[in-house]
Amino acid sequence: MPRTVDLSRPLETGMPHARTVPAPQFKTTSTWAEHRMRVMRLDVPTHIGTHLDAPSHFVEDGATVDQLPLSALIGRAYCIEVLKDGPDPITADDLKAAADLEAGDALLIRTGWDDRYTEPAYVDRHPYLAVDAAEYAVATGLRLIGMDTLSPDLPMSMRPPNFPYDVHNTLLGAGLPIVENLVLREVSGQWCTLFVGVLNVSGGDGAPARALAVLD
């Protein structure tokens, strides 16, 4: 019987985030005691927690969240496990060893850092994709890349001035959305049907998402 796995992080106080992104804010506007209903206001940046980067995040005329084809958000996916202890690159050779990927597949990459989400190093010392890995994903015709890290690019603590974001630009420039901060331990080494329920933000450069995997 198929099993559905939640691959996403909850939006919550104290969650890790890049220093260039503000923390989320939560405010209760209606309570059961006073209004006989509950309503909360969320002030959430587009790039926090489990979220999708749309091409417009780095590409001037790139597609926004609401312009993405639905076929990019649902379909066959494989999760490769490339465990890394620190800020080491994941190369094209690592991805080629993953599985027999085809054009239109999504690739999820588990580095093991989904188990280190609450550590300070999660923001500044995570593994990342080498540029040749991003180029391989584009050449293969993949539809989406997802990772269990804060970013597929070099960690913030290692970026030189005027950092070019080569991985983001390579993937998004080819129209491949990126999903960050996934929880992939339960789907590692497996094929699944992936559904990325990204918020349909008009003109959005990205948005929080609920990512689900259905395993046969």
Side-chain angles (χ1 to χ4, degrees):
M1 182 175 181
R3 180 169 67 96
T4 302
V5 179
D6 193 343
L7 308 180
S8 51
R9 299 285 182 185
L11 295 170
E12 58 188 355
T13 301
M15 63 192 302
H17 58 89
R19 291 187 296 277
T20 54
V21 173
Q25 297 182 27
F26 307 87
K27 181 180 179 181
T28 298
T29 60
S30 296
T31 65
W32 183 257
E34 185 176 359
H35 305 97
R36 309 308 289 176
M37 64 175 176
R38 297 179 181 91
V39 178
M40 178 186 290
R41 175 177 173 172
L42 305 180
D43 184 351
V44 182
T46 51
H47 298 273
I48 197 168
T50 303
H51 68 277
L52 179 143
D53 289 357
S56 64
H57 184 34
F58 275 93
V59 180
E60 183 176 8
D61 58 349
T64 55
V65 169
D66 54 310
Q67 294 172 336
L68 289 173
L70 298 181
S71 58
L73 305 178
I74 188 169
R76 194 172 86 142
Y78 184 77
C79 181
I80 179 178
E81 185 168 271
V82 187
L83 300 180
K84 299 288 185 179
D85 289 331
D88 301 314
I90 296 167
T91 67
D93 286 342
D94 292 325
L95 302 191
K96 291 175 184 177
D100 189 13
L101 297 168
E102 300 177 357
D105 288 337
L107 179 61
L108 307 176
I109 303 167
R110 182 173 190 251
T111 68
W113 281 63
D114 48 0
D115 289 335
R116 303 181 67 174
Y117 183 69
T118 59
E119 297 180 17
Y122 186 83
V123 174
D124 285 321
R125 303 292 293 172
H126 59 78
Y128 59 94
L129 289 186
V131 175
D132 71 342
E135 292 171 342
Y136 166 76
V138 172
T140 304
L142 300 182
R143 74 170 193 279
L144 178 145
I145 291 287
M147 295 186 69
D148 64 346
T149 59
L150 190 77
S151 170
D153 257 307
L154 200 68
M156 297 184 69
S157 63
M158 299 173 62
R159 295 173 187 171
N162 301 313
F163 180 64
Y165 294 92
D166 286 333
V167 172
H168 272 91
N169 277 295
T170 298
L171 295 173
L172 297 178
L176 273 73
I178 303 166
V179 183
E180 299 164 352
N181 297 309
L182 288 164
V183 184
L184 298 173
R185 65 182 72 91
E186 290 191 59
V187 296
S188 184
Q190 300 180 72
W191 287 98
C192 65
T193 299
L194 175 69
F195 169 72
V196 181
V198 61
L199 293 178
N200 190 18
V201 180
S202 178
D205 49 80
R210 188 80 178 265
L212 305 174
V214 179
L215 299 167
D216 291 331

